[in-house]
C-alpha cells in the first residue's frame, strides 16, 4: 500500500513538473540541494508513512550510517534540521514521505535559511489533486477503510488528524528501538558463538 502510494505520488510530481515546464517554469531542485530539509518546518507524515520509516530505519539502515542516524534521532529537537538528513542527502530517500516528494521549487534554489513555502509560495509546486486523491485512496485499507461507505469526508478527516509533523515528532523513541534491536542482535551473535566456539564444526 505504501509503495503504491509513493508510486502514484511520484507520477503526480512528474506530471506537475511537466505541466509547469510547459508554462515556462524551471525546476530549481537538484541532488545535493537540501536547505528545505533544514528549514521547512511543517512536514506532515501519515501513520502508514511513519510505519514505513520506522521499519526502514530499524531493518534496513546498517553500519556507520545506522550509528549516525541513531545519534541524530536521539538528539533531535523541533528547531533542528530533519534528523534523516545526512550531509546533503536524505537517509530514507526511498521511503521519504509524500510531503517531501511533493515539495518542489521553481526557478531559484532556496537560500540557506529560506522556507520557500512562506517566502514565495508562488514558486512552490502545487500537486495535481487527482494524483494526491488516488495516492491517499491507495492507503485507506491500512486504516481499516475498505468500502465506499468508509471513504467519506469524515473518515478522511480522521486520518488527516492522525498525521504528525516530521520536524516535531519524538524520534528519540525510534533511536531507542534501533538500539534495542542492535543489542538483541549482538547478544544473539554472542550466544551463537558461545554455543559453537571458533573451530568447532556445529554440524
Ligand atoms: S526545495 Fe529548495 S532547498 Fe529543497 S531541493 Fe528544491 S530548491 Fe533545493
Ligand atoms: S525526510 Fe528526507 S527529504 Fe524529507 S525533510 Fe527529511 S531529509 Fe529531507
Amino acid at each position: 500500500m505504501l509503495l503504491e502510494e509513493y508510486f502514484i505520488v511520484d507520477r503526480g510530481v512528474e506530471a506537475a513538473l511537466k505541466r509547469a515546464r510547459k508554462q515556462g517554469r524551471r525546476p530549481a531542485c537538484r541532488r545535493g540541494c537540501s536547505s528545505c530539509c533544514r528549514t521547512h518546518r511543517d512536514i506532515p507524515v501519515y501513520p502508514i508513512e511513519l510505519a514505513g520509516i520506522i521499519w526502514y530505519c530499524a531493518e534496513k539502515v546498517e553500519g556507520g550510517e545506522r550509528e549516525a542516524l541513531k545519534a541524530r534521532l536521539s538528539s533531535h529537537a523541533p528547531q533542528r534540521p530533519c534528523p534523516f538528513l545526512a550531509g546533503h542527502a536524505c537517509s530514507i530517500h526511498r521511503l521519504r514521505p509524500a510531503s517531501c516528494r511533493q515539495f518542489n521549487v521553481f526557478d531559484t534554489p532556496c537560500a540557506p535559511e529560506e522556507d520557500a513555502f512562506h517566502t514565495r509560495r508562488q514558486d512552490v509546486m502545487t500537486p495535481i489533486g487527482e494524483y494526491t486523491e488516488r495516492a491517499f485512496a491507495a492507503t485507506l485499507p491500512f486504516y481499516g477503510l475498505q468500502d465506499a461507505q468508509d471513504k467519506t469526508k469524515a473518515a478522511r478527516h480522521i486520518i488527516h488528524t492522525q498525521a504528525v509533523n516530521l520536524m516535531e515528532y519524538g524520534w528519540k523513541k525510534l533511536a531507542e528501538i534501533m538500539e534495542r534491536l542492535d543489542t538483541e542482535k549482538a547478544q544473539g551473535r554472542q550466544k551463537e558463538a558461545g554455543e559453537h566456539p571458533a573451530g568447532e564444526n556445529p554440524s
Side-chain angles (χ1 to χ4, degrees):
M1 273 177 266
L2 183 58
L3 295 182
E4 174 73 3
E5 176 202 349
Y6 289 159
F7 178 80
I8 299 168
V9 167
D10 289 346
R11 297 293 82 74
V13 169
E14 279 172 20
L17 291 177
K18 192 174 171 188
R19 183 184 283 181
R21 277 195 194 94
K22 280 186 183 161
Q23 294 165 349
R25 306 302 308 263
R26 191 171 40 87
C29 301
R30 296 280 180 276
R31 186 183 287 271
C33 186
S34 60
S35 300
C36 52
C37 306
R38 300 171 200 281
T39 60
H40 198 37
R41 301 257 60 93
D42 189 16
I43 305 177
V45 181
Y46 289 89
I48 187 173
E49 299 179 324
L50 197 54
I53 291 172
I54 291 170
W55 167 79
Y56 186 79
C57 293
E59 300 290 339
K60 297 293 175 188
V61 180
E62 294 178 332
E65 198 184 328
R66 185 178 181 90
E67 293 308 313
L69 177 58
K70 281 194 290 188
R72 290 196 305 274
L73 292 168
S74 283
S75 61
H76 182 66
Q79 293 310 312
R80 303 279 291 273
C82 173
F84 300 105
L85 185 64
H88 292 286
C90 176
S91 54
I92 55 165
H93 190 257
R94 287 182 199 169
L95 287 193
R96 68 199 188 287
S99 309
C100 298
R101 291 165 190 264
Q102 291 176 325
F103 195 73
N104 282 267
V105 164
F106 294 113
D107 300 332
T108 308
C110 305
E113 302 302 323
E114 180 185 19
D115 181 347
F117 191 82
H118 294 292
T119 57
R120 47 190 173 107
R121 181 70 186 85
Q122 74 281 3
D123 287 348
V124 176
M125 188 195 85
T126 301
I128 299 175
E130 178 206 330
Y131 286 91
T132 305
E133 275 295 303
R134 276 176 46 210
F136 188 65
T139 68
L140 290 179
F142 178 84
Y143 304 99
L145 303 178
Q146 301 287 355
D147 54 42
Q149 189 65 25
D150 279 337
K151 297 174 186 176
T152 60
K153 227 174 166 181
R156 285 160 181 263
H157 176 71
I158 290 169
I159 297 171
H160 280 301
T161 59
Q162 291 177 16
V164 300
N165 184 353
L166 184 147
M167 293 303 217
E168 295 178 358
Y169 189 67
W171 292 112
K172 193 174 177 189
K173 189 79 192 157
L174 175 54
E176 288 168 5
I177 291 170
M178 292 168 74
E179 185 61 32
R180 197 171 65 234
L181 283 173
D182 292 348
T183 303
E184 284 170 7
K185 272 187 193 164
Q187 286 171 345
R189 279 196 297 271
Q190 275 173 5
K191 195 172 168 212
E192 203 170 300
E195 283 170 2
H196 307 297
E200 186 181 310
N201 188 344
S203 62

